[in-house]
Amino acid sequence: MEKLSLAEPFRIADLGCSCGPNTILATQNIVEAVELKFQTRGLTSPEFHVFFNDQVSNDFNSLFASLPAGRKYYAAGVPGSFHDRLFPTASLHFVFSSCALDWLSNVPKGVVDKAGPAWNKGRIHYTGAPKEVFEAYSDQFAKDMDSFLKERVKELAPGGLMALVIPAVPDVASHSQFMIGLEVELLGSCLMDMAKMGIVCEAKVDAFNLPLYFTNPIDLQQIIEGNGCFSIERMEILNNPKQHIVLPNLRQRMHSTRATSEMLIEKHFGTEIIDQLFEIYARKLSESSLFLNPDNYQQMIAVFLLLKNNVH
């Protein structure tokens, strides 16, 4: 901080910001924390420039309309994938990303290859699939994370920090025991039901997979250390064993799954099936132990990482 020119703004980027209130609250907390750090060192606080990043399809208009009046930062939108380069060299001082890195850059190629061992026929995710499917997802996540780190180290100033919150599963747990994965598996079964009814083509279901992967802390640490671009300043497990209580209502649960997956399903199958698909999903969920007995299933954890730029 001592090296930061008084004429230079402190630049913050939120990667995978979406358009809800979480990114605004996180930005406010980061700005206030940096201000306090400057003040406790007897330094004048700089101006703040915040970059909100997400895919080009993100509703940036809603995001900017909800920015608070009197905020202490200048705001800009940066559309594009955070798996690619987004910012000039050494231009950022702090990068933040929360619950976004579980989304892969692409569906693993092997899971849609009919001739390959990882073909994921009749499913839309690795939950409940053969180990070859899971390994294809795991390999894709490792490649994506390595690419993400290599791009960020170019964009962060020397000594710059990056804070990440990444949804994950515990190291010792089976992926088949987790509610989120099982809810995705249930959604896939609804698409197969629609294929049997002749509403969608079964081959189209076989060609659709959600690019969503939940890592575990050990694998994540190994990827970061193997990449070598960042040192791990802090790594903590954030565990909320009662997450399902937040959405006790059936319609809320259905709408949560719909909000997560609708855009990708619509892009692949079209808009016509969406309402019927999620009505079938709501009915099947209401009869499932996922809804009736949620305590029987393990909940996700989140991994908090504070990383420091190692490249000078």
Side-chain angles (χ1 to χ4, degrees):
M1 288 183 179
E2 290 84 351
K3 297 180 181 179
L4 188 69
S5 168
L6 293 177
E8 181 182 5
F10 191 95
R11 300 184 189 92
I12 300 165
D14 183 351
L15 306 183
C17 63
S18 190
C19 56
N22 289 345
T23 184
I24 295 173
L25 179 60
T27 297
Q28 179 180 321
N29 289 339
I30 292 167
V31 168
E32 290 177 354
V34 174
E35 275 190 323
L36 181 61
K37 198 74 172 178
F38 272 87
Q39 291 169 6
T40 56
R41 296 190 178 188
L43 301 171
T44 302
S45 293
E47 293 183 316
F48 291 93
H49 193 175
V50 177
F51 299 95
F52 294 96
N53 157 260
D54 213 315
Q55 300 281 3
V56 295
S57 56
N58 189 55
D59 189 355
F60 285 100
N61 287 336
S62 293
L63 171 62
F64 292 134
S66 62
L67 291 176
R71 60 186 179 276
K72 299 179 179 180
Y73 55 88
Y74 297 95
V78 180
S81 171
F82 53 55
H83 295 291
D84 301 324
R85 184 73 182 269
L86 293 168
F87 300 97
T89 300
S91 61
L92 301 175
H93 301 99
F94 191 88
V95 170
F96 173 72
S97 183
S98 178
C99 300
L101 284 164
D102 48 325
W103 288 100
L104 303 176
S105 62
N106 293 288
V107 171
K109 292 180 180 179
V111 303
V112 292
D113 179 4
K114 295 181 181 180
W119 185 31
N120 201 23
K121 179 174 173 56
R123 289 175 293 268
I124 66 170
H125 196 237
Y126 60 81
T127 304
K131 68 174 184 177
E132 291 84 0
V133 177
F134 172 79
E135 289 169 355
Y137 269 86
S138 177
D139 290 346
Q140 184 67 49
F141 176 81
K143 292 176 185 175
D144 284 351
M145 194 69 194
D146 186 68
S147 174
F148 175 85
L149 295 170
K150 286 177 179 176
E151 299 301 345
R152 300 295 81 77
V153 79
K154 299 171 188 173
E155 299 166 349
L156 272 164
L161 296 173
M162 180 160 62
L164 307 175
V165 178
I166 302 176
V169 296
D171 302 319
V172 297
S174 165
H175 285 266
S176 64
Q177 298 173 337
F178 284 85
M179 186 174 293
I180 291 179
L182 291 168
E183 287 179 344
V184 173
E185 185 179 24
L186 183 66
L187 182 61
S189 75
C190 297
L191 283 167
M192 287 302 294
D193 289 345
M194 296 179 79
K196 292 172 184 175
M197 290 186 282
I199 299 170
V200 297
C201 173
E202 184 173 342
K204 243 190 164 173
V205 179
D206 291 339
F208 177 73
N209 288 266
L210 285 176
L212 186 65
Y213 178 77
F214 302 109
T215 187
N216 64 73
I218 290 178
D219 287 351
L220 185 57
Q221 183 174 348
Q222 289 176 346
I223 292 170
I224 295 169
E225 291 176 347
N227 171 272
C229 292
F230 291 87
S231 61
I232 300 176
E233 301 294 300
R234 184 182 303 173
M235 184 174 183
E236 297 178 8
I237 306 302
L238 310 177
N239 191 1
N240 180 8
K242 298 294 183 181
Q243 292 176 47
H244 60 270
I245 293 177
V246 178
L247 296 174
N249 179 275
L250 177 66
R251 305 304 292 185
Q252 288 178 324
R253 289 275 290 277
M254 183 271 285
H255 285 301
S256 175
T257 301
R258 180 167 180 167
T260 302
S261 58
E262 179 174 5
M263 188 176 297
L264 291 169
I265 294 172
E266 192 175 282
K267 183 178 180 181
H268 188 81
F269 294 96
T271 60
E272 299 81 8
I273 74 160
I274 298 298
D275 289 339
Q276 186 175 3
L277 169 63
F278 283 99
E279 285 304 316
I280 295 172
Y281 176 78
R283 175 180 56 77
K284 293 186 78 167
L285 181 63
S286 71
E287 299 167 354
S288 167
S289 60
L290 287 169
F291 180 71
L292 299 173
N293 300 296
D295 287 323
N296 292 344
Y297 300 92
Q298 296 189 53
Q299 299 296 316
M300 302 293 295
I301 62 171
V303 180
F304 171 78
L305 288 157
L306 184 65
L307 307 179
K308 186 175 183 180
N309 183 350
N310 264 345
V311 179
H312 301 287

